[in-house]
PDB file of all heavy atoms in Angstrom:
ATOM      1  N   SER B  83      26.447   8.702 -18.274  1.00 96.00           N
ATOM      2  CA  SER B  83      26.168   8.077 -19.561  1.00 96.00           C
ATOM      3  C   SER B  83      24.698   8.267 -19.945  1.00 96.00           C
ATOM      4  O   SER B  83      23.937   7.304 -20.106  1.00 96.00           O
ATOM      5  CB  SER B  83      26.508   6.580 -19.504  1.00 96.00           C
ATOM      6  OG  SER B  83      26.396   6.005 -20.785  1.00 96.00           O
ATOM      7  N   ALA B  84      24.340   9.521 -20.045  1.00 96.00           N
ATOM      8  CA  ALA B  84      22.925   9.855 -20.276  1.00 96.00           C
ATOM      9  C   ALA B  84      22.423   9.325 -21.611  1.00 96.00           C
ATOM     10  O   ALA B  84      23.163   9.287 -22.604  1.00 96.00           O
ATOM     11  CB  ALA B  84      22.759  11.367 -20.217  1.00 96.00           C
ATOM     12  N   HIS B  85      21.174   8.915 -21.617  1.00 96.00           N
ATOM     13  CA  HIS B  85      20.510   8.465 -22.828  1.00 96.00           C
ATOM     14  C   HIS B  85      19.243   9.283 -23.022  1.00 96.00           C
ATOM     15  O   HIS B  85      18.734   9.894 -22.066  1.00 96.00           O
ATOM     16  CB  HIS B  85      20.173   6.978 -22.724  1.00 96.00           C
ATOM     17  CG  HIS B  85      21.369   6.096 -22.794  1.00 96.00           C
ATOM     18  ND1 HIS B  85      21.933   5.510 -21.686  1.00 96.00           N
ATOM     19  CD2 HIS B  85      22.136   5.715 -23.843  1.00 96.00           C
ATOM     20  CE1 HIS B  85      22.993   4.800 -22.042  1.00 96.00           C
ATOM     21  NE2 HIS B  85      23.136   4.915 -23.342  1.00 96.00           N
ATOM     22  N   PRO B  86      18.709   9.289 -24.232  1.00 96.00           N
ATOM     23  CA  PRO B  86      17.494  10.082 -24.476  1.00 96.00           C
ATOM     24  C   PRO B  86      16.356   9.771 -23.501  1.00 96.00           C
ATOM     25  O   PRO B  86      15.603  10.675 -23.134  1.00 96.00           O
ATOM     26  CB  PRO B  86      17.125   9.706 -25.916  1.00 96.00           C
ATOM     27  CG  PRO B  86      18.444   9.429 -26.560  1.00 96.00           C
ATOM     28  CD  PRO B  86      19.255   8.741 -25.485  1.00 96.00           C
ATOM     29  N   GLU B  87      16.244   8.534 -23.048  1.00 95.00           N
ATOM     30  CA  GLU B  87      15.164   8.198 -22.110  1.00 95.00           C
ATOM     31  C   GLU B  87      15.364   8.805 -20.728  1.00 95.00           C
ATOM     32  O   GLU B  87      14.460   8.761 -19.887  1.00 95.00           O
ATOM     33  CB  GLU B  87      14.980   6.685 -21.989  1.00 95.00           C
ATOM     34  CG  GLU B  87      16.223   5.929 -21.572  1.00 95.00           C
ATOM     35  CD  GLU B  87      17.001   5.376 -22.749  1.00 95.00           C
ATOM     36  OE1 GLU B  87      16.997   6.006 -23.847  1.00 95.00           O
ATOM     37  OE2 GLU B  87      17.632   4.320 -22.582  1.00 95.00           O
ATOM     38  N   ASP B  88      16.562   9.360 -20.490  1.00 96.00           N
ATOM     39  CA  ASP B  88      16.810  10.066 -19.224  1.00 96.00           C
ATOM     40  C   ASP B  88      16.310  11.502 -19.284  1.00 96.00           C
ATOM     41  O   ASP B  88      16.328  12.205 -18.265  1.00 96.00           O
ATOM     42  CB  ASP B  88      18.314  10.071 -18.899  1.00 96.00           C
ATOM     43  CG  ASP B  88      18.867   8.675 -18.676  1.00 96.00           C
ATOM     44  OD1 ASP B  88      18.126   7.825 -18.139  1.00 96.00           O
ATOM     45  OD2 ASP B  88      20.027   8.433 -19.055  1.00 96.00           O
ATOM     46  N   SER B  89      15.892  11.934 -20.450  1.00 96.00           N
ATOM     47  CA  SER B  89      15.366  13.296 -20.581  1.00 96.00           C
ATOM     48  C   SER B  89      14.142  13.437 -19.683  1.00 96.00           C
ATOM     49  O   SER B  89      13.196  12.655 -19.773  1.00 96.00           O
ATOM     50  CB  SER B  89      14.980  13.573 -22.038  1.00 96.00           C
ATOM     51  OG  SER B  89      16.103  13.466 -22.886  1.00 96.00           O
ATOM     52  N   SER B  90      14.183  14.414 -18.820  1.00 95.00           N
ATOM     53  CA  SER B  90      13.119  14.574 -17.827  1.00 95.00           C
ATOM     54  C   SER B  90      13.333  15.874 -17.070  1.00 95.00           C
ATOM     55  O   SER B  90      14.290  16.607 -17.306  1.00 95.00           O
ATOM     56  CB  SER B  90      13.148  13.386 -16.856  1.00 95.00           C
ATOM     57  OG  SER B  90      12.038  13.418 -15.976  1.00 95.00           O
ATOM     58  N   PHE B  91      12.426  16.134 -16.156  1.00 95.00           N
ATOM     59  CA  PHE B  91      12.525  17.274 -15.250  1.00 95.00           C
ATOM     60  C   PHE B  91      12.994  16.718 -13.910  1.00 95.00           C
ATOM     61  O   PHE B  91      12.324  15.883 -13.319  1.00 95.00           O
ATOM     62  CB  PHE B  91      11.144  17.934 -15.137  1.00 95.00           C
ATOM     63  CG  PHE B  91      11.121  19.262 -14.440  1.00 95.00           C
ATOM     64  CD1 PHE B  91      11.996  20.263 -14.797  1.00 95.00           C
ATOM     65  CD2 PHE B  91      10.187  19.512 -13.446  1.00 95.00           C
ATOM     66  CE1 PHE B  91      11.957  21.507 -14.170  1.00 95.00           C
ATOM     67  CE2 PHE B  91      10.141  20.752 -12.813  1.00 95.00           C
ATOM     68  CZ  PHE B  91      11.021  21.749 -13.172  1.00 95.00           C
ATOM     69  N   TYR B  92      14.141  17.166 -13.451  1.00 96.00           N
ATOM     70  CA  TYR B  92      14.703  16.674 -12.192  1.00 96.00           C
ATOM     71  C   TYR B  92      14.570  17.790 -11.148  1.00 96.00           C
ATOM     72  O   TYR B  92      14.946  18.933 -11.393  1.00 96.00           O
ATOM     73  CB  TYR B  92      16.169  16.287 -12.359  1.00 96.00           C
ATOM     74  CG  TYR B  92      16.358  15.068 -13.242  1.00 96.00           C
ATOM     75  CD1 TYR B  92      16.424  15.195 -14.628  1.00 96.00           C
ATOM     76  CD2 TYR B  92      16.436  13.793 -12.694  1.00 96.00           C
ATOM     77  CE1 TYR B  92      16.563  14.077 -15.446  1.00 96.00           C
ATOM     78  CE2 TYR B  92      16.581  12.672 -13.507  1.00 96.00           C
ATOM     79  CZ  TYR B  92      16.643  12.828 -14.872  1.00 96.00           C
ATOM     80  OH  TYR B  92      16.779  11.717 -15.675  1.00 96.00           O
ATOM     81  N   ILE B  93      14.027  17.445  -9.998  1.00 95.00           N
ATOM     82  CA  ILE B  93      13.806  18.440  -8.945  1.00 95.00           C
ATOM     83  C   ILE B  93      14.394  17.934  -7.636  1.00 95.00           C
ATOM     84  O   ILE B  93      14.247  16.758  -7.296  1.00 95.00           O
ATOM     85  CB  ILE B  93      12.305  18.714  -8.708  1.00 95.00           C
ATOM     86  CG1 ILE B  93      11.581  19.017 -10.005  1.00 95.00           C
ATOM     87  CG2 ILE B  93      12.106  19.862  -7.730  1.00 95.00           C
ATOM     88  CD1 ILE B  93      10.085  19.215  -9.814  1.00 95.00           C
ATOM     89  N   CYS B  94      15.030  18.822  -6.913  1.00 94.00           N
ATOM     90  CA  CYS B  94      15.508  18.461  -5.587  1.00 94.00           C
ATOM     91  C   CYS B  94      14.640  19.161  -4.557  1.00 94.00           C
ATOM     92  O   CYS B  94      14.001  20.183  -4.843  1.00 94.00           O
ATOM     93  CB  CYS B  94      16.964  18.852  -5.394  1.00 94.00           C
ATOM     94  SG  CYS B  94      17.247  20.638  -5.326  1.00 94.00           S
ATOM     95  N   SER B  95      14.590  18.604  -3.392  1.00 92.00           N
ATOM     96  CA  SER B  95      13.994  19.315  -2.272  1.00 92.00           C
ATOM     97  C   SER B  95      14.841  19.066  -1.041  1.00 92.00           C
ATOM     98  O   SER B  95      15.563  18.069  -0.958  1.00 92.00           O
ATOM     99  CB  SER B  95      12.534  18.911  -2.025  1.00 92.00           C
ATOM    100  OG  SER B  95      12.454  17.629  -1.472  1.00 92.00           O
ATOM    101  N   ALA B  96      14.774  19.972  -0.125  1.00 89.00           N
ATOM    102  CA  ALA B  96      15.623  19.916   1.052  1.00 89.00           C
ATOM    103  C   ALA B  96      14.783  20.093   2.297  1.00 89.00           C
ATOM    104  O   ALA B  96      13.798  20.842   2.301  1.00 89.00           O
ATOM    105  CB  ALA B  96      16.694  21.006   0.978  1.00 89.00           C
ATOM    106  N   ALA B  97      15.189  19.404   3.337  1.00 82.00           N
ATOM    107  CA  ALA B  97      14.499  19.511   4.617  1.00 82.00           C
ATOM    108  C   ALA B  97      15.537  19.478   5.726  1.00 82.00           C
ATOM    109  O   ALA B  97      16.604  18.889   5.571  1.00 82.00           O
ATOM    110  CB  ALA B  97      13.491  18.381   4.784  1.00 82.00           C
ATOM    111  N   SER B  98      15.189  20.124   6.808  1.00 78.00           N
ATOM    112  CA  SER B  98      16.071  20.049   7.963  1.00 78.00           C
ATOM    113  C   SER B  98      15.274  19.489   9.132  1.00 78.00           C
ATOM    114  O   SER B  98      14.059  19.491   9.127  1.00 78.00           O
ATOM    115  CB  SER B  98      16.626  21.430   8.320  1.00 78.00           C
ATOM    116  OG  SER B  98      15.624  22.195   8.930  1.00 78.00           O
ATOM    117  N   GLY B  99      15.966  19.034  10.110  1.00 68.00           N
ATOM    118  CA  GLY B  99      15.289  18.474  11.265  1.00 68.00           C
ATOM    119  C   GLY B  99      14.445  19.497  11.989  1.00 68.00           C
ATOM    120  O   GLY B  99      13.488  19.165  12.665  1.00 68.00           O
ATOM    121  N   MET B 100      14.795  20.776  11.815  1.00 61.00           N
ATOM    122  CA  MET B 100      14.067  21.816  12.517  1.00 61.00           C
ATOM    123  C   MET B 100      12.777  22.202  11.798  1.00 61.00           C
ATOM    124  O   MET B 100      11.780  22.502  12.399  1.00 61.00           O
ATOM    125  CB  MET B 100      14.959  23.058  12.660  1.00 61.00           C
ATOM    126  CG  MET B 100      16.243  22.804  13.441  1.00 61.00           C
ATOM    127  SD  MET B 100      15.929  22.227  15.108  1.00 61.00           S
ATOM    128  CE  MET B 100      15.201  23.708  15.809  1.00 61.00           C
ATOM    129  N   ALA B 101      12.865  22.206  10.490  1.00 62.00           N
ATOM    130  CA  ALA B 101      11.707  22.648   9.714  1.00 62.00           C
ATOM    131  C   ALA B 101      10.746  21.485   9.525  1.00 62.00           C
ATOM    132  O   ALA B 101      11.119  20.327   9.620  1.00 62.00           O
ATOM    133  CB  ALA B 101      12.158  23.186   8.373  1.00 62.00           C
ATOM    134  N   THR B 102       9.510  21.779   9.250  1.00 70.00           N
ATOM    135  CA  THR B 102       8.553  20.719   9.013  1.00 70.00           C
ATOM    136  C   THR B 102       8.250  20.537   7.541  1.00 70.00           C
ATOM    137  O   THR B 102       7.908  19.454   7.112  1.00 70.00           O
ATOM    138  CB  THR B 102       7.241  21.008   9.756  1.00 70.00           C
ATOM    139  OG1 THR B 102       6.773  22.294   9.349  1.00 70.00           O
ATOM    140  CG2 THR B 102       7.446  20.985  11.248  1.00 70.00           C
ATOM    141  N   GLU B 103       8.362  21.579   6.752  1.00 79.00           N
ATOM    142  CA  GLU B 103       8.037  21.441   5.346  1.00 79.00           C
ATOM    143  C   GLU B 103       9.295  21.210   4.526  1.00 79.00           C
ATOM    144  O   GLU B 103      10.405  21.298   5.031  1.00 79.00           O
ATOM    145  CB  GLU B 103       7.336  22.709   4.846  1.00 79.00           C
ATOM    146  CG  GLU B 103       8.250  23.925   4.818  1.00 79.00           C
ATOM    147  CD  GLU B 103       7.486  25.215   4.733  1.00 79.00           C
ATOM    148  OE1 GLU B 103       7.026  25.684   5.782  1.00 79.00           O
ATOM    149  OE2 GLU B 103       7.377  25.756   3.620  1.00 79.00           O
TER     150      GLU B 103
END
Side-chain angles (χ1 to χ4, degrees):
Chain B
S83 187
H85 289 102
E87 57 265 32
D88 297 326
S89 299
S90 187
F91 190 50
Y92 292 85
I93 309 177
C94 69
S95 73
S98 74
M100 300 300 292
T102 56
E103 68 197 82

